[in-house]
Amino acid sequence: MASTRTIFDNSSALLSSPPTGIIFKLPIGIAFPQGPPEGSLFSSSFDRLMDIRVPMTIATIYATCVHILNRSRGHGTEPVRFARTTLFKWLVIAHNLFLCVYSAWTCLGMISSLVRTVTETSRSHSRGSSNFWRGLCSLKDGIWGHGLNYYGFLFYLSKFYEILDTVIILAKGKSPSLLQTYHHAGAMLSMWAGIRFASPPIWIFVVFNSLIHTLMYFYYTLSGLNIKVPKAVKRALTTIQICQFLFGGSLAIVHFFIYYFDPSLGQYTSCLVNPGQTFALWFNVLYLAPLTYLFIGFWIDSYVHSRKFYQTKVQ
């Protein structure tokens, strides 16, 4: 055990340098983790849907099609005829409401699983906060087999369904932004990496993102119903999203340095145990960096520059 390791939280957990033996290795030949419970939705297709070719193909086709359509249509394109119908309006409302309810279900389910898992691991051994990290990190006793493998897998699949957000924008005659395209394509690959390699920090993505999506799609549902929502609410949602990236990314990086006590081994072990888990963590953090930049740019354009433009016109 590294000599630089320091006692953390009353000797019940240890903070140390990252496991350098695996941190820079490629995730080659790593077996699939335990999938969702047998008999649950899409459980029989877990291995096939977690093949890297699935998210790579869909993300590439999605980003390419959006890019081609943006270039060929230009600005000021008229909405398609169907987008002007009442049926289209209600289909969009149903889409947003479905994602709102689904996201809330995922968030509550994950929080419940987290609390239950951490409580159970705390009862099984008296090592304080080490049990908390064991509940988050251990593939055998932790959150992975007690909910994350189920909610996380479905959340990964939901990233493909969310492409409909872009379809709706295109149908309305608008051009999807780089932020929109990068966000959706990157989310597919980020969730794939986290679930394919059962990387412990992926719980952050599932919990935080499902919470934000609950609020965001609720806002979209109200807007679709022509219920006026103050602009301050939209600004707050964008601000929360940026905070989610900054805080979530920072919390994910902490997992690199966490060691928890494993009763079955009788010693402290790293939260990250193979190259796949470290790869998924790196991939998610690197994905979040430009995403945060794009969201901050969106925030400035929407709530700073637009206000200045409005004030200039009033004057």
Side-chain angles (χ1 to χ4, degrees), residues 97-314:
L97 184 60
F98 166 73
L99 283 176
C100 173
V101 173
Y102 165 72
S103 298
W105 173 77
T106 299
C107 185
L108 292 173
M110 275 300 302
I111 291 175
S112 175
S113 297
L114 278 168
V115 172
R116 185 172 62 253
T117 303
V118 171
T119 301
E120 288 177 0
T121 53
S122 296
R123 288 172 180 168
S124 65
H125 205 273
S126 57
R127 281 190 176 260
S129 66
S130 184
N131 289 315
F132 171 78
W133 288 107
R134 180 175 154 227
L136 297 182
C137 299
S138 174
L139 291 183
K140 181 178 62 175
D141 305 317
I143 185 62
W144 176 258
H146 294 82
L148 184 53
N149 61 334
Y150 174 62
Y151 292 107
F153 176 58
L154 293 181
F155 202 62
Y156 157 71
L157 296 181
S158 75
K159 297 305 168 189
F160 302 121
Y161 175 76
E162 287 174 13
I163 289 176
L164 282 180
D165 288 349
T166 304
V167 174
I168 291 169
I169 290 173
L170 290 167
K172 290 181 177 180
K174 301 176 182 178
S175 298
S177 64
L178 173 62
L179 170 59
Q180 173 93 3
T181 308
Y182 176 80
H183 189 185
H184 284 303
M188 299 175 200
L189 295 169
S190 294
M191 277 303 302
W192 170 84
I195 301 303
R196 166 61 182 85
F197 299 112
S199 189
I202 201 63
W203 73 267
I204 301 170
F205 197 124
V206 179
V207 173
F208 286 17
N209 200 236
S210 62
L211 174 60
I212 298 300
H213 277 197
T214 301
L215 301 174
M216 184 180 74
Y217 284 108
F218 181 64
Y219 167 81
Y220 290 153
T221 301
L222 294 180
S223 298
L225 292 170
N226 297 321
I227 298 175
K228 190 173 182 180
V229 181
K231 189 173 182 179
V233 174
K234 184 178 180 182
R235 182 170 63 245
L237 284 173
T238 307
T239 303
I240 293 172
Q241 283 181 309
I242 295 172
C243 292
Q244 169 205 185
F245 302 144
L246 295 172
F247 178 74
S250 300
L251 182 57
I253 291 174
V254 169
H255 288 68
F256 270 127
F257 307 95
I258 292 297
Y259 287 73
Y260 67 93
F261 187 81
D262 187 339
S264 63
L265 298 176
Q267 64 183 26
Y268 282 87
T269 184
S270 173
C271 184
L272 305 173
V273 296
N274 63 57
Q277 293 185 340
T278 58
F279 166 80
L281 178 47
W282 277 124
F283 190 93
N284 274 266
V285 170
L286 292 175
Y287 160 68
L288 286 178
L291 183 62
T292 304
Y293 172 80
L294 291 171
F295 259 96
I296 291 174
F298 172 78
W299 194 96
I300 293 172
D301 289 341
S302 300
Y303 310 120
V304 177
H305 291 168
S306 63
R307 183 183 302 174
K308 290 180 179 178
F309 177 75
Y310 173 75
Q311 290 172 345
T312 302
K313 291 198 70 174
V314 170

